[in-house]
Amino acid sequence: MKFQATEDKVKVTGRTLFAEGVRYLGYSGSSASFTFVGKKAVAEIWSDADAWGEELKGRIAVYVNNGEEPVKRICLDKPEGIYTLYESDTEEQVTVKIMKYSEAAFGKCGIRYIEIDTDKLCPPPTACERKMEIIGDSITCGYGVEAENELQPFHTATENPTKSYSLLTAKDLGAEVNLVSWSGNGIVSGYVEETATEPSDKWLMPEVYRYTDISGSEKLFGEDESRWEKWDFSRFVPDIILINLGTNDCSWCKDIQERKNDYRDRYVEFLKYIRENNPGAEILCMLGTMDQRVLKELEEAVKIFKTTQKDEKVHFLSLPPQNPEDGYGADWHPCEFTQKRTAELVVREIKSIMNWR
């Protein structure tokens, strides 16, 4: 039996594009899961593999029956490839999940079809009742978390969202989660070098957040922005939204107060847009793991928003800076230990806000 990854046949997590019968997994942690009775399942997957060097190709992981670890990790090194997802000598009921490990900025992943060796496709797995959305940058993506040290250059093979505080938090709380995360992104500027005289302002998160997958839309539809898919906020209604943005803004703001004030003011505007489209959600704004130079301005933004909008469902959390003694991931990013420690703090804060147990 051959079928497309439509939502009547698979459980979809994350903001994913579905166009011309193909399910595109863009963001870190986005996935498609299905349950069937049989011995074998394969998938034909499209990727723009030829556009990237080995270090930036798209990567997925395959999980079976809610296993803690993937049964395989696959580099999407062909424009079109047929990949074995599951194989057994005996026929049984299994649930298979395809998860995007690499982030939206790099190699793409489009599921053209899934094929099982029987006609016994079961209803899709059920979703968790709790729902979270996490808006962030490389830290949220799990950038370089599996690298040996800070001197190891970034490679999508060492990017793993399941070892980021983001998916660790969702797992601990038993929540469905959408990650809207992108390395180097920010509110007023993406990451820039020390000598930069202009901010990096293409596709900042306040714009990215408006779309299902802005990078995927551009890849599919070119520069005709009228065809880019705007996100339908009714598709996923989170109980709580986490925002972890400001690390890359620090590279531009430095200690220049005018720039830091700009970050604060534009953060307030972003909060307004988030609230407009998520009227019932609690919002937790946090920062601090890699750089704390705009931490005060973030706290001010939360206070300004709460006061001017008369909104008490917005919260602030200062995250502790990473400890050099704990080590680093690629390019000085948080290592696995630091990500776990961050998750513990975030889980505790969310339980307090949401009264979750």
Side-chain angles (χ1 to χ4, degrees), residues 95-112:
T95 297
V96 179
K97 176 165 67 177
I98 306 168
M99 179 185 285
K100 183 86 180 309
Y101 263 30
S102 55
E103 61 180 278
F106 305 122
K108 309 303 178 195
C109 169
I111 303 172
R112 290 191 182 277

Side-chain angles (χ1 to χ4, degrees), residues 12 24 27 34 62 64 109-110 146 157-159 175 186 218 222 224 226 237 262-263 279 287 293 308 313 328:
V12 176
Y24 294 94
Y27 284 113
F34 62 96
V62 180
V64 173
C109 169
E146 294 184 335
T158 65
E159 188 166 41
E218 186 197 44
D224 182 3
S226 66
V237 181
D262 187 30
Y263 166 82
L287 184 66
R293 284 177 289 180
T308 60
K313 299 180 74 171
Y328 297 98

Side-chain angles (χ1 to χ4, degrees), residues 63-83:
Y63 289 80
V64 173
N65 291 336
N66 298 313
E68 291 289 317
E69 297 293 332
V71 296
K72 60 177 64 179
R73 291 168 69 162
I74 299 170
C75 175
L76 302 177
D77 56 1
K78 297 181 283 291
E80 294 181 3
I82 297 177
Y83 301 92

Side-chain angles (χ1 to χ4, degrees), residues 22 50 104 106 150 163 188 197 201 247 263 271 279 283 354:
V22 180
D50 292 344
F106 305 122
E150 67 274 14
K163 293 182 178 180
V188 298
T197 57
D201 58 4
T247 300
Y263 166 82
L271 282 174
I283 302 174
M354 302 300 298

Side-chain angles (χ1 to χ4, degrees), residues 29 45 138 169 226 246 249 277 298 303 305 331:
I45 298 177
S138 54
T169 295
S226 66
D249 297 280
N277 290 284
L298 172 55
K303 290 178 180 177
F305 181 82
D331 298 331

Side-chain angles (χ1 to χ4, degrees), residues 136-177:
D137 50 34
S138 54
I139 301 172
T140 300
C141 293
Y143 178 108
V145 68
E146 294 184 335
E148 295 178 1
N149 55 54
E150 67 274 14
L151 301 180
Q152 186 172 341
F154 174 69
H155 197 298
T156 51
T158 65
E159 188 166 41
N160 187 342
T162 70
K163 293 182 178 180
S164 167
Y165 80 90
S166 53
L167 292 197
L168 290 173
T169 295
K171 179 182 177 181
D172 192 297
L173 294 170
E176 297 291 336
V177 61

Side-chain angles (χ1 to χ4, degrees), residues 168-187:
L168 290 173
T169 295
K171 179 182 177 181
D172 192 297
L173 294 170
E176 297 291 336
V177 61
N178 277 10
L179 302 189
V180 186
S181 54
W182 192 304
S183 289
N185 214 305
I187 297 290

